[in-house]
Amino acid sequence: MHYLLLLSIIIAIAAPLAGAVPSQAVGQSAKQVYQTTDKFPLANPGNIPAHDPNIILHNEQYYLFKGGVNIPIFKAANISGPWEKLGTVLAGDSIIPKNNRTRPWAPTTIEKDGTFYCYYTVSAKGSRDSAIGVATTRSLDGSPWTDHGVVINTGTGAGSGVWPYTITNAIDGAIIVDRDSGQAYLNYGSFWHDIWQVPLADDLLSVKDAEAPDAVQLTFIPRAKSKPEEGVWMSFRDGFYYAWFSHGKCCNFKNGFPARGKEYSIRVGRSKSVRGPFEDKKGKSLLDGGGTVVYGSNHGVVYAPGGLGVLAGNNDSMPDILYYHYLNTSSGFKHGQAQLGWNYLKYEDGWPVPVQGRNATNNAFGRGPPGWGYLAILLLLWLCIWP
Ligand SMILES: *[C@@H]1O[C@H](CO)[C@@H](O)[C@H](O)[C@H]1NC(C)=O
Ligand SMILES: *[C@@H]1O[C@H](CO)[C@@H](O)[C@H](O)[C@H]1NC(C)=O
Ligand SMILES: *[C@@H]1O[C@H](CO)[C@@H](O)[C@H](O)[C@H]1NC(C)=O
Ligand SMILES: *[C@@H]1O[C@H](CO)[C@@H](O)[C@H](O)[C@H]1NC(C)=O
Ligand SMILES: *[C@@H]1O[C@H](CO)[C@@H](O)[C@H](O)[C@H]1NC(C)=O
């Protein structure tokens, strides 16, 4: 009898100390689906609502692009803000005649020879009638952008009958340039045959050999009915290209939660070639459902992180930054409540690991010594075997 009493007391003390109970659960169903792990560090808040954020560093200022009406642009001296709204990429609707051209998704901006190219998605939830478009400008502070419209179409529209657009979904574009050849590639895709890559023409406004593009597939989940991989990003570091993507359910949690672990998480594979094949840390091909989880829901606080990008660092005092959107379980789960979050990355055996806190030079991130929760569990075990 007293064992049971002791047991309850110890569990009551140990559980919060071990971080096993979310501080503020929104409801019973939510409690059962939160991830309480401390395997991943908490998100550093970016202090701005964002979905599918994209950040570039230009003249030591951070510029943030996000999904929204006409593609909003913000600027800050610090990635944690405060963010100043500069305006929007598009002056009005995208010239792409598809839904929802008022509110493009998932922008990605790159700079080449003094011109900025913003690739954006026009699509609707659950639809493959999508397009990736592009707009350009010569200056981020004020000068107008020119909308060039479609780069690729799926579902309907010019070129949508060309393979692989016949089987893929033209959303979530991201650009990578091959270090050796200088060739630029557009990576894109989602649930329909997952993530693909096509070479861009030199003008960066169209696909090279548009009628028969030299496409490769980057990720795939064979044998599964649902193939929840999207939001590709590609980075380069120390001889490797890293193919990042979001896996799982992104949104609409106000209508119900998926089973724990089926929500968005951030995954990666790497390759010596920009064209792949990409493998995860265990050697599993990304074409066979592989992908090492770099960042997922944690501490009962951060939920469904995804829609990521990587801001390349230069050196030890300016490491790579992984940024993404996430939901805070104590704030709510509506689309507009997704927040920008970020962590510095360190690399262990060439694999990226997000670092706790905002200290760029503190690379000693680890689990640290066992906490009180572990000691209490040890005490419990000891009590159980006590004669
Ligand atoms: C989550 O929200 C709570 C309450 O607003 C806040 O105290 C906490 O810092 C937030 N955490 C993160 C990681 O956003
Ligand atoms: C960025 O802001 C955070 C707090 O919001 C602060 O701790 C940090 O020192 C700032 N970094 C820089 C480079 O200003
Ligand atoms: C497109 O987005 C705008 C802004 O969010 C919204 O008002 C409008 O209803 C949407 N249109 C369609 C067809 O979904
Ligand atoms: C590291 O990179 C940052 C950002 O470009 C730069 O300001 C800083 O001087 C560099 N530090 C070293 C030690 O090279
Ligand atoms: C950051 O970490 C380094 C190395 O651990 C430490 O020397 C420095 O004092 C830390 N800076 C802050 C602001 O915590």
Side-chain angles (χ1 to χ4, degrees):
M1 187 62 191
H2 64 284
Y3 281 149
L4 274 181
L5 185 66
L6 255 177
L7 191 105
S8 348
I9 292 171
I10 286 166
I11 286 176
I13 294 171
L17 289 170
V21 173
S23 50
Q24 265 184 288
V26 168
Q28 189 55 34
S29 65
K31 262 187 201 168
Q32 289 158 356
V33 297
Y34 295 166
Q35 303 268 11
T36 53
T37 181
D38 62 357
K39 192 175 121 195
F40 306 115
L42 280 168
N44 292 319
N47 296 313
I48 186 169
H51 219 271
D52 295 332
N54 169 239
I55 299 176
I56 63 171
L57 194 53
H58 178 66
N59 289 341
E60 299 187 2
Q61 298 288 311
Y62 296 90
Y63 291 84
L64 178 138
F65 302 76
K66 61 176 188 171
V69 173
N70 304 333
I71 315 170
I73 315 178
F74 295 80
K75 179 182 178 178
N78 186 321
I79 194 170
S80 286
W83 294 94
E84 169 202 356
K85 188 168 180 190
L86 288 183
T88 56
V89 170
L90 302 179
D93 287 356
S94 161
I95 61 173
I96 299 171
K98 288 191 178 186
N99 274 332
N100 186 345
R101 61 186 185 149
T102 299
R103 196 192 176 290
W105 300 347
T108 294
T109 301
I110 60 159
E111 186 267 335
K112 193 192 175 205
D113 301 334
T115 297
F116 297 89
Y117 298 76
C118 177
Y119 298 83
Y120 62 84
T121 297
V122 176
S123 185
K125 192 174 156 300
S127 167
R128 204 175 73 79
D129 189 8
S130 312
I132 292 171
V134 63
T136 58
T137 188
R138 296 284 295 176
S139 156
L140 293 176
D141 290 281
S143 87
W145 292 70
T146 304
D147 186 8
H148 302 272
V150 171
V151 181
I152 63 173
N153 266 314
T154 56
T156 63
S160 60
V162 171
W163 185 90
Y165 313 127
T166 45
I167 57 168
T168 54
N169 188 17
I171 71 165
D172 296 352
I175 308 295
I176 182 81
V177 175
D178 187 325
R179 296 276 152 154
D180 298 327
S181 65
Q183 172 66 51
Y185 294 93
L186 169 66
N187 301 323
Y188 75 97
S190 80
F191 288 56
W192 288 269
H193 288 90
D194 294 328
I195 295 163
W196 290 69
Q197 179 183 76
V198 289
L200 286 177
D202 290 343
D203 64 5
L204 303 183
L205 303 177
S206 57
V207 171
K208 194 173 184 172
D209 298 325
E211 295 304 310
D214 180 15
V216 293
Q217 188 168 12
L218 301 181
T219 80
F220 191 53
I221 309 176
R223 300 176 296 276
K225 206 168 149 203
S226 178
K227 306 180 188 302
E229 295 183 332
E230 58 189 6
V232 64
W233 182 266
M234 204 173 275
S235 62
F236 176 85
R237 186 185 172 275
D238 214 3
F240 284 101
Y241 293 89
Y242 293 84
W244 302 75
F245 59 94
S246 305
H247 177 286
K249 183 175 163 69
C250 71
C251 13
N252 293 306
F253 300 114
K254 63 184 193 319
N255 303 330
F257 294 92
R260 198 196 300 249
K262 301 276 188 193
E263 75 280 16
Y264 251 16
S265 64
I266 295 172
R267 305 191 178 193
V268 80
R270 68 178 195 185
S271 173
K272 290 268 183 195
S273 164
V274 70
R275 310 229 69 193
F278 289 84
E279 282 184 353
D280 70 13
K281 201 173 168 181
K282 289 185 173 151
K284 189 169 185 187
S285 170
L286 265 52
L287 291 169
D288 193 22
T292 298
V293 180
V294 176
Y295 195 61
S297 303
N298 61 77
H299 293 86
V301 174
V302 172
Y303 189 73
L308 71 124
V310 175
L311 205 50
N314 294 333
N315 51 47
D316 281 351
S317 52
M318 189 57 198
D320 286 0
I321 292 175
L322 173 68
Y323 62 84
Y324 45 84
H325 72 239
Y326 69 100
L327 293 156
N328 183 327
T329 56
S330 59
S331 309
F333 297 90
K334 294 200 189 105
H335 191 88
Q337 288 174 313
Q339 293 285 324
L340 173 68
W342 64 274
N343 296 91
Y344 287 117
L345 289 175
K346 65 174 179 176
Y347 287 79
E348 286 176 355
D349 301 324
W351 290 97
V353 178
V355 178
Q356 177 119 38
R358 296 178 181 177
N359 188 345
T361 53
N362 186 4
N363 265 357
F365 170 69
R367 294 183 57 109
W372 288 107
Y374 296 94
L375 292 180
I377 287 162
L378 278 182
L379 177 66
L380 175 68
L381 284 173
W382 178 75
L383 280 172
C384 287
I385 55 167
W386 190 254

